[in-house]
CSV table of all heavy atoms in Angstrom, one decimal:
chain,number,residue,atom,x,y,z
A,243,GLU,N,-20.2,8.4,8.4
A,243,GLU,CA,-19.8,8.4,7.1
A,243,GLU,C,-20.3,7.1,6.4
A,243,GLU,O,-20.3,7.1,5.1
A,243,GLU,CB,-18.4,8.7,6.9
A,243,GLU,CG,-17.7,9.8,7.5
A,243,GLU,CD,-18.1,11.1,6.9
A,243,GLU,OE1,-18.8,11.1,5.8
A,243,GLU,OE2,-17.7,12.2,7.4
A,244,ILE,N,-20.5,6.1,7.2
A,244,ILE,CA,-20.7,4.7,6.5
A,244,ILE,C,-21.9,4.7,5.5
A,244,ILE,O,-21.8,4.2,4.4
A,244,ILE,CB,-21.0,3.8,7.6
A,244,ILE,CG1,-19.6,3.4,8.4
A,244,ILE,CG2,-21.5,2.4,7.1
A,244,ILE,CD1,-19.7,2.5,9.6
A,245,PRO,N,-23.1,5.2,5.8
A,245,PRO,CA,-24.2,5.1,4.9
A,245,PRO,C,-23.9,5.7,3.5
A,245,PRO,O,-24.3,5.1,2.5
A,245,PRO,CB,-25.3,5.9,5.6
A,245,PRO,CG,-25.0,5.8,7.0
A,245,PRO,CD,-23.5,5.8,7.1
A,246,GLU,N,-23.3,6.9,3.4
A,246,GLU,CA,-23.0,7.5,2.2
A,246,GLU,C,-21.9,6.8,1.4
A,246,GLU,O,-21.9,6.6,0.2
A,246,GLU,CB,-22.6,8.9,2.3
A,246,GLU,CG,-22.2,9.8,1.0
A,246,GLU,CD,-23.4,9.8,0.1
A,246,GLU,OE1,-24.6,9.5,0.4
A,246,GLU,OE2,-23.1,10.0,-1.1
A,247,LEU,N,-20.9,6.3,2.2
A,247,LEU,CA,-19.9,5.5,1.4
A,247,LEU,C,-20.5,4.2,0.9
A,247,LEU,O,-20.2,3.8,-0.3
A,247,LEU,CB,-18.7,5.1,2.5
A,247,LEU,CG,-17.9,6.2,3.0
A,247,LEU,CD1,-17.0,5.8,4.1
A,247,LEU,CD2,-17.0,6.8,1.8
A,248,TYR,N,-21.3,3.6,1.7
A,248,TYR,CA,-22.0,2.3,1.3
A,248,TYR,C,-22.9,2.7,-0.1
A,248,TYR,O,-22.9,1.9,-1.0
A,248,TYR,CB,-23.0,1.8,2.4
A,248,TYR,CG,-23.7,0.5,2.0
A,248,TYR,CD1,-23.2,-0.7,2.0
A,248,TYR,CD2,-25.0,0.7,1.5
A,248,TYR,CE1,-23.9,-1.9,1.8
A,248,TYR,CE2,-25.7,-0.5,1.2
A,248,TYR,CZ,-25.3,-1.7,1.2
A,248,TYR,OH,-25.9,-2.9,0.9
A,249,ARG,N,-23.6,3.8,-0.1
A,249,ARG,CA,-24.4,4.2,-1.1
A,249,ARG,C,-23.6,4.4,-2.4
A,249,ARG,O,-24.0,3.9,-3.5
A,249,ARG,CB,-25.3,5.4,-0.8
A,249,ARG,CG,-26.2,5.7,-1.8
A,249,ARG,CD,-26.7,7.2,-1.7
A,249,ARG,NE,-25.6,8.2,-2.1
A,249,ARG,CZ,-25.2,8.4,-3.3
A,249,ARG,NH1,-25.7,7.9,-4.4
A,249,ARG,NH2,-24.1,9.2,-3.5
A,250,MET,N,-22.4,5.0,-2.3
A,250,MET,CA,-21.6,5.3,-3.5
A,250,MET,C,-21.2,4.0,-4.2
A,250,MET,O,-21.0,4.0,-5.3
A,250,MET,CB,-20.4,6.2,-3.1
A,250,MET,CG,-20.9,7.6,-2.6
A,250,MET,SD,-19.5,8.6,-2.0
A,250,MET,CE,-18.6,8.9,-3.6
A,251,ILE,N,-20.9,3.0,-3.2
A,251,ILE,CA,-20.4,1.7,-3.9
A,251,ILE,C,-21.6,1.0,-4.5
A,251,ILE,O,-21.5,0.6,-5.6
A,251,ILE,CB,-19.8,0.8,-2.7
A,251,ILE,CG1,-18.5,1.4,-2.3
A,251,ILE,CG2,-19.5,-0.6,-3.3
A,251,ILE,CD1,-17.4,1.5,-3.1
A,252,VAL,N,-22.8,0.9,-3.8
A,252,VAL,CA,-23.9,0.1,-4.4
A,252,VAL,C,-24.7,0.9,-5.4
A,252,VAL,O,-25.0,0.2,-6.4
A,252,VAL,CB,-24.8,-0.2,-3.1
A,252,VAL,CG1,-26.1,-0.8,-3.6
A,252,VAL,CG2,-24.1,-1.1,-2.1
A,253,GLU,N,-25.0,2.2,-5.2
A,253,GLU,CA,-25.8,2.8,-6.1
A,253,GLU,C,-25.0,3.6,-7.3
A,253,GLU,O,-25.3,3.5,-8.5
A,253,GLU,CB,-26.7,3.9,-5.5
A,253,GLU,CG,-27.7,3.3,-4.5
A,253,GLU,CD,-28.6,4.2,-3.8
A,253,GLU,OE1,-28.6,5.5,-4.3
A,253,GLU,OE2,-29.2,3.8,-2.8
A,254,ASP,N,-23.9,4.2,-6.9
A,254,ASP,CA,-23.2,4.9,-7.9
A,254,ASP,C,-22.2,3.9,-8.6
A,254,ASP,O,-21.4,4.4,-9.6
A,254,ASP,CB,-22.4,6.1,-7.3
A,254,ASP,CG,-23.4,7.1,-6.8
A,254,ASP,OD1,-24.5,7.1,-7.2
A,254,ASP,OD2,-22.9,8.0,-6.0
A,255,ARG,N,-22.1,2.7,-8.2
A,255,ARG,CA,-21.2,1.6,-8.7
A,255,ARG,C,-19.7,2.0,-8.8
A,255,ARG,O,-19.1,1.6,-9.6
A,255,ARG,CB,-21.7,1.5,-10.2
A,255,ARG,CG,-23.2,1.2,-10.3
A,255,ARG,CD,-23.7,0.0,-9.5
A,255,ARG,NE,-23.0,-1.3,-10.1
A,255,ARG,CZ,-23.2,-2.4,-9.5
A,255,ARG,NH1,-23.8,-2.6,-8.4
A,255,ARG,NH2,-22.5,-3.5,-10.1
A,256,TYR,N,-19.2,2.6,-7.9
A,256,TYR,CA,-17.8,2.8,-7.7
A,256,TYR,C,-17.2,1.5,-7.2
A,256,TYR,O,-17.6,0.7,-6.5
A,256,TYR,CB,-17.5,3.8,-6.6
A,256,TYR,CG,-17.7,5.3,-7.1
A,256,TYR,CD1,-18.8,6.1,-6.7
A,256,TYR,CD2,-16.7,5.9,-8.0
A,256,TYR,CE1,-18.9,7.3,-7.2
A,256,TYR,CE2,-16.9,7.3,-8.4
A,256,TYR,CZ,-18.0,7.9,-8.0
A,256,TYR,OH,-18.1,9.2,-8.5
A,257,ASP,N,-16.0,1.2,-7.6
A,257,ASP,CA,-15.1,0.2,-7.1
A,257,ASP,C,-14.6,0.4,-5.8
A,257,ASP,O,-14.4,-0.5,-5.0
A,257,ASP,CB,-14.1,-0.2,-8.1
A,257,ASP,CG,-14.5,-0.6,-9.5
A,257,ASP,OD1,-15.5,-1.5,-9.5
A,257,ASP,OD2,-14.1,-0.2,-10.5
A,258,LEU,N,-14.1,1.7,-5.6
A,258,LEU,CA,-13.5,2.1,-4.3
A,258,LEU,C,-13.8,3.6,-4.1
A,258,LEU,O,-13.8,4.3,-5.1
A,258,LEU,CB,-11.9,2.0,-4.5
A,258,LEU,CG,-11.0,2.2,-3.4
A,258,LEU,CD1,-9.7,1.4,-3.5
A,258,LEU,CD2,-10.7,3.7,-3.1
A,259,VAL,N,-14.0,4.0,-2.9
A,259,VAL,CA,-14.4,5.4,-2.5
A,259,VAL,C,-13.3,5.6,-1.4
A,259,VAL,O,-13.3,5.0,-0.3
A,259,VAL,CB,-15.7,5.6,-2.1
A,259,VAL,CG1,-15.8,7.1,-1.8
A,259,VAL,CG2,-16.7,5.3,-3.2
A,260,SER,N,-12.5,6.7,-1.6
A,260,SER,CA,-11.5,7.0,-0.6
A,260,SER,C,-12.0,8.3,0.2
A,260,SER,O,-12.5,9.3,-0.5
A,260,SER,CB,-10.2,7.3,-1.3
A,260,SER,OG,-9.1,7.6,-0.3
A,261,GLY,N,-11.8,8.3,1.4
A,261,GLY,CA,-12.1,9.6,2.2
A,261,GLY,C,-11.1,10.6,2.0
A,261,GLY,O,-9.9,10.3,1.7
A,262,TRP,N,-11.5,11.9,2.0
A,262,TRP,CA,-10.6,13.0,1.9
A,262,TRP,C,-10.8,13.9,3.1
A,262,TRP,O,-11.9,14.5,3.3
A,262,TRP,CB,-10.9,13.7,0.6
A,262,TRP,CG,-10.2,15.0,0.5
A,262,TRP,CD1,-9.1,15.4,1.2
A,262,TRP,CD2,-10.5,16.2,-0.4
A,262,TRP,NE1,-8.6,16.7,0.8
A,262,TRP,CE2,-9.6,17.1,-0.1
A,262,TRP,CE3,-11.6,16.5,-1.1
A,262,TRP,CZ2,-9.6,18.4,-0.8
A,262,TRP,CZ3,-11.6,17.7,-1.9
A,262,TRP,CH2,-10.6,18.6,-1.6
A,263,LYS,N,-9.8,13.9,4.1
A,263,LYS,CA,-9.8,14.7,5.2
A,263,LYS,C,-9.4,16.1,4.8
A,263,LYS,O,-8.3,16.5,5.0
A,263,LYS,CB,-9.0,14.1,6.3
A,263,LYS,CG,-9.4,12.7,6.7
A,263,LYS,CD,-8.4,12.1,7.7
A,263,LYS,CE,-8.8,10.7,8.2
A,263,LYS,NZ,-7.8,10.1,9.1
A,264,GLN,N,-10.4,16.9,4.3
A,264,GLN,CA,-10.1,18.1,3.8
A,264,GLN,C,-9.6,19.1,4.9
A,264,GLN,O,-8.8,19.9,4.7
A,264,GLN,CB,-11.3,18.7,3.1
A,264,GLN,CG,-11.1,20.0,2.3
A,264,GLN,CD,-12.4,20.3,1.4
A,264,GLN,OE1,-13.6,20.0,1.9
A,264,GLN,NE2,-12.2,20.8,0.3
A,265,LYS,N,-10.4,18.9,6.1
A,265,LYS,CA,-9.8,19.7,7.2
A,265,LYS,C,-9.4,18.7,8.2
A,265,LYS,O,-10.0,17.9,8.7
A,265,LYS,CB,-11.1,20.4,7.9
A,265,LYS,CG,-10.7,21.3,9.1
A,265,LYS,CD,-11.9,22.1,9.7
A,265,LYS,CE,-11.5,22.8,10.8
A,265,LYS,NZ,-12.7,23.6,11.4
A,266,ARG,N,-8.1,18.9,8.6
A,266,ARG,CA,-7.4,18.0,9.4
A,266,ARG,C,-7.0,18.6,10.8
A,266,ARG,O,-6.7,19.8,10.9
A,266,ARG,CB,-6.1,17.6,8.7
A,266,ARG,CG,-6.3,16.8,7.4
A,266,ARG,CD,-4.9,16.3,6.9
A,266,ARG,NE,-4.4,15.1,7.8
A,266,ARG,CZ,-4.5,13.9,7.6
A,266,ARG,NH1,-5.2,13.5,6.4
A,266,ARG,NH2,-4.1,13.0,8.4
A,267,TYR,N,-7.1,17.8,11.8
A,267,TYR,CA,-6.6,18.2,13.1
A,267,TYR,C,-5.3,17.6,13.5
A,267,TYR,O,-5.1,16.9,14.5
A,267,TYR,CB,-7.7,17.8,14.2
A,267,TYR,CG,-9.0,18.6,14.0
A,267,TYR,CD1,-10.0,18.0,13.2
A,267,TYR,CD2,-9.3,19.7,14.6
A,267,TYR,CE1,-11.3,18.6,13.0
A,267,TYR,CE2,-10.5,20.4,14.3
A,267,TYR,CZ,-11.4,19.8,13.6
A,267,TYR,OH,-12.6,20.4,13.4
A,268,ASP,N,-4.3,17.9,12.6
A,268,ASP,CA,-3.0,17.4,12.9
A,268,ASP,C,-2.0,18.5,12.7
A,268,ASP,O,-2.3,19.6,12.1
A,268,ASP,CB,-2.6,16.5,11.7
A,268,ASP,CG,-3.4,15.0,11.8
A,268,ASP,OD1,-3.5,14.6,12.9
A,268,ASP,OD2,-3.9,14.5,10.8
A,269,PRO,N,-0.8,18.4,13.3
A,269,PRO,CA,0.1,19.5,13.3
A,269,PRO,C,0.8,19.6,11.9
A,269,PRO,O,0.7,18.7,11.1
A,269,PRO,CB,1.3,19.0,14.3
A,269,PRO,CG,1.1,17.5,14.4
A,269,PRO,CD,-0.4,17.2,14.3
A,270,LEU,N,1.4,20.7,11.6
A,270,LEU,CA,2.0,21.0,10.4
A,270,LEU,C,3.1,20.0,9.9
A,270,LEU,O,3.2,19.6,8.8
A,270,LEU,CB,2.6,22.4,10.3
A,270,LEU,CG,3.2,22.9,9.0
A,270,LEU,CD1,2.1,23.0,7.9
A,270,LEU,CD2,3.9,24.2,9.1
A,271,THR,N,3.7,19.4,11.0
A,271,THR,CA,4.8,18.4,10.7
A,271,THR,C,4.2,17.1,10.1
A,271,THR,O,4.9,16.3,9.6
A,271,THR,CB,5.5,17.9,12.0
A,271,THR,OG1,4.5,17.5,13.0
A,271,THR,CG2,6.3,19.1,12.5
A,272,LYS,N,2.8,16.9,10.2
A,272,LYS,CA,2.1,15.8,9.7
A,272,LYS,C,1.4,16.1,8.3
A,272,LYS,O,1.4,15.4,7.4
A,272,LYS,CB,1.2,15.3,10.7
A,272,LYS,CG,0.6,13.9,10.3
A,272,LYS,CD,-0.2,13.3,11.5
A,272,LYS,CE,-0.9,11.9,11.1
A,272,LYS,NZ,-1.6,11.3,12.1
A,273,THR,N,0.8,17.3,8.4
A,273,THR,CA,0.0,17.7,7.2
A,273,THR,C,0.9,18.0,6.1
A,273,THR,O,0.5,17.7,4.9
A,273,THR,CB,-0.9,18.9,7.6
A,273,THR,OG1,-0.1,20.1,8.0
A,273,THR,CG2,-2.0,18.5,8.6
Side-chain angles (χ1 to χ4, degrees):
E243 309 283 357
I244 289 175
E246 180 60 16
L247 290 170
Y248 180 86
R249 187 200 66 77
M250 292 177 73
I251 296 292
V252 174
E253 297 182 14
D254 295 342
R255 309 299 297 172
Y256 282 102
D257 295 315
L258 185 157
V259 179
S260 182
W262 173 20
K263 296 175 181 177
Q264 194 171 27
K265 182 179 180 181
R266 302 182 65 100
Y267 293 93
D268 289 323
L270 187 63
T271 54
K272 189 174 180 180
T273 57

